[in-house]
């Protein structure tokens, strides 16, 4: 099975409600889909969002990186040579992690199809059913409380609460949500780099003293402020998770050695795809550090790939934040992973199991 071409599409899915964080507001998924064709007729699918404020990738840069730098290297390559192909992708150009991730996802899809097995089994196997949390966007207190109660009533047992816009209001938001769902759901707090280190310690100590129990605090400070991240980790009881501070395996090693965080958030769009995500999980496992696997604003194409990784690496990926498909008004993908509110199920279909993508607009290039 050899690669003959790589094509592009644009996929748009309106969200049920605007996704609001300290960094941005999004009301529609608008992702680039990468379609890898082979001489056997098999097709692999990958996907990448334009998350410029986090990864630096835009729609244009994703298409340019894949079309001009990655595609020429891959034409004619045999899918069976997976390690060679992933190395060609990762060394094609610097950064551009979302573009690399989209191509890697499609290649891994084809690799598993080659052996007629679902991807998670090719990665080592595991339980094909996992459970995700759901995001509660930053908003007015009453709206966030109502959204939290609705999520719990729909079966979600973990809520990811977005804060980071106003420290005093953030504290009140969390207290109100905790009061509304206490005993029915775990709360994960995500500041999205919105606080300073001292603000984070102030907020967390206030919440802890008020009896608010949180499962974790995610990325309270700016991505490059590792000293600030460590400052928070050393001073609060709640486990601290690094997200935007860690993209690649070497950064993970540095962060763990600094003891700057307790948990690592793996996202395929940060790592540049599945190969580095697996490396990060293995490194964390060696150090006894737990991981979460998360996503950007993505559909069930790329999120499905993350699901397969989560199932295969459940020994170290103990927390799942793969709610992207649940946030959309509809699922454009036929086949593949089944997303049913908090429960995610992998089918026995080969690869990612994607049969069709509805509403896909093919792009030139």
């Amino acid at each position: 099975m050899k690669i003959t071409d790589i094509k592009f599409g644009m996929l748009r899915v309106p969200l049920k409600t605007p996704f609001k964080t300290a960094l941005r507001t999004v009301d529609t998924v608008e992702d680039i889909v990468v379609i890898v064709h082979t001489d056997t007729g098999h097709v692999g699918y990958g996907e990448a969002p334009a998350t410029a404020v986090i990864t630096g990738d835009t729609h244009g840069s994703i298409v340019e990186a894949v079309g001009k730098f990655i595609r020429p290297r891959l034409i004619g390559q045999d899918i069976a040579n997976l390690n060679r192909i992933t190395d060609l992708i990762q060394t094609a150009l610097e950064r551009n992690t979302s573009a690399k991730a989209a191509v890697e996802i499609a290649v891994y899809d084809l690799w598993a199809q080659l052996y007629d097995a679902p991807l998670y089994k090719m990665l080592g196997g595991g339980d094909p059913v996992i459970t995700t949390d759901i995001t509660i966007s930053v908003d007015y207190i009453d709206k966030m409380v109502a959204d939290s109660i609705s999520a719990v009533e729909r079966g979600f047992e973990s809520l990811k609460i977005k804060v980071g816009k106003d420290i005093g209001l953030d504290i009140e938001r969390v207290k109100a949500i905790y009061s509304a769902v206490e005993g029915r759901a775990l709360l994960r707090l995500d500041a999205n780099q919105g606080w300073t280190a001292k603000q984070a310690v102030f907020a967390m100590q206030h919440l802890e003293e008020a009896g608010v129990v949180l499962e974790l605090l995610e990325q309270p400070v700016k991505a490059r402020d590792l000293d600030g991240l460590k400052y928070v980790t050393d001073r609060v009881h709640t486990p601290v998770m690094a997200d935007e501070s860690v993209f690649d395996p070497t950064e993970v090693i540095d962060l763990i050695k600094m003891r700057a965080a307790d948990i690592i958030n793996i996202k395929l769009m940060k790592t540049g795809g599945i190969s580095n995500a697996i490396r990060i999980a293995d490194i964390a496992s060696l150090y006894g550090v737990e991981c979460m696997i998360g996503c950007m604003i993505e559909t069930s194409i790329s999120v499905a790939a993350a699901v397969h990784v989560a199932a295969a690496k459940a020994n170290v990926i103990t927390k799942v934040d793969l709610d992207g498909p649940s946030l959309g008004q509809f699922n454009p993908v036929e086949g593949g992973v089944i997303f049913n509110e908090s429960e995610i199920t992998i089918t026995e279909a080969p690869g990612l199991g994607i049969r069709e993508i509805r509403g896909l607009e093919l792009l030139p290039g």
Side-chain angles (χ1 to χ4, degrees), residues 1 7-8 56 73 82 94 196 229 256 312-313 320 337 346 354:
M1 185 189 294
K7 297 183 178 180
F8 307 96
R73 288 181 149 214
L82 180 66
E94 291 295 315
T196 66
L229 191 64
I256 291 174
K313 292 294 180 180
V320 177
V337 170
I346 304 173
I354 297 171

Side-chain angles (χ1 to χ4, degrees), residues 106-117:
V107 167
Y108 271 85
D109 182 12
L110 286 166
W111 177 63
Q113 288 182 50
L114 176 63
Y115 296 102
D116 197 32

Side-chain angles (χ1 to χ4, degrees), residues 5-84:
D5 199 5
I6 299 178
K7 297 183 178 180
F8 307 96
M10 172 68 78
L11 188 59
R12 295 181 174 86
V13 178
L15 298 179
K16 294 174 184 174
T17 186
F19 181 86
K20 300 178 183 179
T21 74
L23 293 175
R24 58 184 179 142
T25 297
V26 180
D27 56 19
T28 303
V29 177
E30 293 182 308
D31 289 1
I32 298 293
V33 176
V34 170
I35 309 148
V36 178
H37 294 268
T38 65
D39 60 355
T40 61
H42 292 81
V43 177
Y45 295 100
E47 172 191 12
T51 317
V53 295
I54 298 174
T55 66
D57 296 279
T58 66
H59 291 140
S61 72
I62 292 166
V63 172
E64 184 80 1
V66 176
K68 294 288 182 66
F69 295 89
I70 299 175
R71 179 168 57 191
R73 288 181 149 214
L74 299 193
I75 301 301
Q77 293 295 323
D78 193 323
I79 290 295
N81 297 328
L82 180 66
N83 289 340
R84 172 173 170 73

Side-chain angles (χ1 to χ4, degrees), residues 147-345:
D147 288 346
S148 298
I149 293 172
S150 173
V152 171
E153 290 175 346
R154 285 155 46 205
F156 287 93
E157 297 179 349
S158 298
L159 309 180
K160 188 173 185 180
I161 311 300
K162 295 290 189 179
V163 292
K165 284 183 171 282
D166 180 317
I167 193 74
L169 187 56
D170 285 340
I171 292 171
E172 296 308 312
R173 286 172 170 132
V174 177
K175 289 168 69 175
I177 293 170
Y178 184 76
S179 177
V181 303
E182 182 181 1
R184 294 191 290 164
L186 297 172
L187 299 188
R188 300 166 175 173
L189 201 57
D190 187 2
N192 282 115
Q193 308 179 59
W195 293 339
T196 66
K198 288 186 176 181
Q199 283 178 327
V201 171
F202 169 80
M204 295 307 298
Q205 289 181 347
H206 181 99
L207 290 169
E208 290 170 353
E209 289 169 5
V212 175
V213 179
L214 300 170
E215 187 182 10
L216 58 86
L217 168 64
E218 181 174 357
Q219 197 63 49
V221 300
K222 296 296 183 185
R224 296 184 181 180
D225 186 11
L226 295 187
D227 289 333
L229 191 64
K230 179 174 172 56
Y231 179 92
V232 178
T233 301
D234 288 344
R235 287 166 176 79
V236 304
H237 295 295
T238 302
V240 174
M241 182 166 71
D243 180 9
E244 291 92 346
S245 288
V246 284
F247 274 56
D248 63 46
T250 56
E251 291 176 345
V252 169
I253 293 171
D254 292 341
L255 183 133
I256 291 174
K257 287 184 174 179
M258 280 184 66
R259 298 186 179 180
D262 303 296
I263 309 168
I264 305 297
N265 192 352
I266 299 171
K267 292 178 179 174
L268 301 187
M269 297 305 138
K270 292 189 307 173
T271 64
I274 294 173
S275 61
N276 276 333
I278 291 170
R279 289 187 183 100
I280 290 171
D282 289 342
I283 290 167
S285 180
L286 287 173
Y287 284 94
V289 174
E290 289 182 78
C291 293
M292 173 187 278
I293 192 160
C295 60
M296 307 297 189
I297 304 299
E298 306 165 40
T299 75
S300 59
I301 301 170
S302 52
V303 176
V307 171
H308 282 265
V309 173
K313 292 294 180 180
N315 63 309
V316 62
I317 297 175
T318 59
K319 307 177 195 306
V320 177
D321 175 35
L322 297 176
D323 61 347
S326 297
L327 303 178
Q329 291 185 15
F330 59 89
N331 184 357
V333 177
E334 182 178 321
V337 170
I338 300 169
F339 294 86
N340 182 22
E341 297 289 12
S342 64
E343 185 176 272
I344 306 174
T345 305

